[in-house]
Amino acid sequence: MKELRHFLSLADCSKEQILNLLRRAAAMKRGEPGKGPDLPLEGKSVGLLFDKPSTRTRVSFDVGVYQLGGHPIFLNSRDIQLGRGEPIRDTARVLSRYLDAIVIRTFGQEIVEEFARWSTIPVINALTDRSHPCQILGDLLTLQETGLDIFTMKAAWIGDGNNMANSWIYAAQKLGFPFVLACPEGYDPAVKPDCENVKLTRDPLEAAKDANAISTDVWASMGQEKEASIRRQDFQDFQVNHDVLKHSGDPVYILHCLPAHRGEEITEELMESEHSLIWNQAENRLHVQKALLEDLLSP
Ligand code: CP
Ligand code: NVA
């Protein structure tokens, strides 16, 4: 029997696994067949269980499952019994009897972990408060396809030490590229970097210095709406703008996972500049997730 594998965090992936997924995603994007069947998800159903809003993740998984020959089933957590208090362990065991894999977007990382403990089908993390591993796979593919060496590029994070920042830290730990995060005091990432190549500063210009990839994200994530106004004050010096760009390396690319708040964490000018990879970044969610689904579900 095939070993049951999940995709809950980049922390659980080896460097080789990450590189294989990126290789396969790039090949899929070029339209190259894999070693297995043309439609690796034929006859398979994949649940998309969402506890939070989504544009990119929801649509790219839905389309990706379809393109691989499978059947996506969108489940809003409010519309199923989970939303009325049915326990995760019961939901996981029941859905495992119908589905072949499940993609989950929720709040605590412990929710996807609990689901995976009881599930007999692969569970994919489509964002928790702690991490966003599918997004970082897409980001790495985006940088790699522009010609950056993802082992040596200098990457910077400017803004909140949130789910995205945590997953970037895991990526830097696995791949070894130098990574500097600039976060305001009180907003450090929950993941404590335990390697030489990851550093934390309070100075966005220091983070941007010589950077080839500068990434940011909203100041208030989903679930933090009530803190938006105080966060707007706390983050006002942490905008990705022209000043930041002046200190960066050459080449330099700007990333944002979207949705973006223009005029807050990033300027309109930079989002629309020649340095921005934001639209390719969004597209690449589709390719990396197809590679992931193929990997987890191929016989
Ligand atoms: N970047 C991202 O995950 O976008 P959505 O919230 O629209 O899925
Ligand atoms: N940090 C953001 C990412 C959205 C894709 C959030 O969690 O809302």
Side-chain angles (χ1 to χ4, degrees):
M1 208 174 69
K2 201 179 172 225
E3 178 205 356
L4 174 62
R5 285 183 297 129
H6 304 293
F7 183 73
L8 303 184
S9 170
L10 289 181
D12 309 329
C13 298
S14 68
K15 176 175 163 182
E16 270 319 303
Q17 282 170 330
I18 296 171
L19 296 178
N20 283 338
L21 286 170
L22 294 177
R23 253 193 299 272
R24 183 64 189 125
M28 280 179 149
K29 188 170 179 178
R30 291 191 297 267
E32 291 170 18
K35 293 196 192 92
D38 284 347
L39 296 175
L41 268 61
E42 196 167 14
K44 296 185 194 295
S45 300
V46 177
L48 310 177
L49 175 55
F50 281 59
D51 241 352
K52 290 176 175 174
S54 170
T55 300
R56 283 142 287 270
T57 308
R58 174 178 173 172
V59 177
S60 57
F61 266 112
D62 193 315
V63 170
V65 170
Y66 169 75
Q67 288 182 356
L68 296 175
H71 172 50
I73 304 176
F74 181 74
L75 301 162
N76 184 325
S77 62
R78 283 190 306 276
D79 298 337
I80 62 171
Q81 300 290 8
L82 184 70
R84 292 180 58 244
E86 185 169 14
I88 291 165
R89 62 184 184 280
D90 296 2
T91 309
R93 282 177 289 183
V94 170
L95 291 182
S96 293
R97 306 273 177 130
Y98 308 134
L99 301 171
D100 296 281
I102 187 152
V103 173
I104 304 180
R105 167 169 288 196
T106 188
F107 292 87
Q109 181 79 15
E110 68 284 358
I111 298 174
V112 288
E113 284 168 4
E114 163 94 348
F115 207 106
R117 242 191 317 280
W118 292 96
S119 172
T120 54
I121 55 171
V123 176
I124 296 173
N125 175 358
L127 180 145
T128 64
D129 293 343
R130 169 106 181 170
S131 61
H132 197 4
C134 293
Q135 179 70 55
I136 305 307
L137 284 182
D139 297 3
L140 291 171
L141 177 64
T142 307
L143 294 168
Q144 203 175 38
E145 70 185 7
T146 63
L148 279 189
D149 179 337
I150 57 170
F151 301 112
T152 57
M153 65 180 180
K154 184 170 181 291
W157 177 266
I158 296 178
D160 191 16
N162 62 11
N163 41 13
M164 284 288 300
N166 287 331
S167 289
W168 263 103
I169 292 174
Y170 289 136
Q173 285 180 173
K174 299 285 171 174
L175 300 178
F177 58 83
F179 182 47
V180 185
L181 302 99
C183 308
E185 205 166 342
Y187 297 98
D188 288 351
V191 172
K192 296 296 160 226
D194 62 356
C195 54
E196 283 280 291
N197 57 311
V198 180
K199 299 209 163 37
L200 188 61
T201 170
R202 302 277 171 239
D203 179 1
L205 298 185
E206 187 188 331
K209 191 171 177 324
D210 302 327
N212 306 115
I214 301 177
S215 206
T216 188
D217 188 11
V218 289
W219 290 340
S221 284
M222 289 180 275
Q224 297 171 333
E225 290 76 7
K226 287 204 178 95
E227 298 169 31
S229 145
I230 177 88
R231 281 172 172 263
R232 230 171 269 129
Q233 291 168 35
D234 293 347
F235 283 88
Q236 57 185 326
D237 297 329
F238 289 77
Q239 185 186 65
V240 174
N241 55 27
H242 190 66
D243 270 357
V244 164
L245 199 72
K246 277 200 306 216
H247 287 76
S248 67
D250 181 21
V252 60
Y253 299 107
I254 304 295
L255 298 178
H256 192 309
C257 63
L258 302 175
H261 290 166
R262 289 167 167 81
E264 291 193 9
E265 75 276 2
I266 189 165
T267 57
E268 166 84 14
E269 184 195 4
L270 283 212
M271 275 196 77
E272 304 298 341
S273 75
E274 65 201 13
H275 300 280
S276 164
L277 295 179
I278 292 172
W279 317 112
N280 293 346
Q281 192 188 352
E283 176 186 335
N284 284 335
R285 295 292 304 280
L286 173 67
H287 306 297
V288 294
Q289 288 159 195
K290 282 171 69 180
L292 180 62
L293 287 163
E294 180 188 69
D295 180 49
L296 293 176
L297 285 176
S298 287

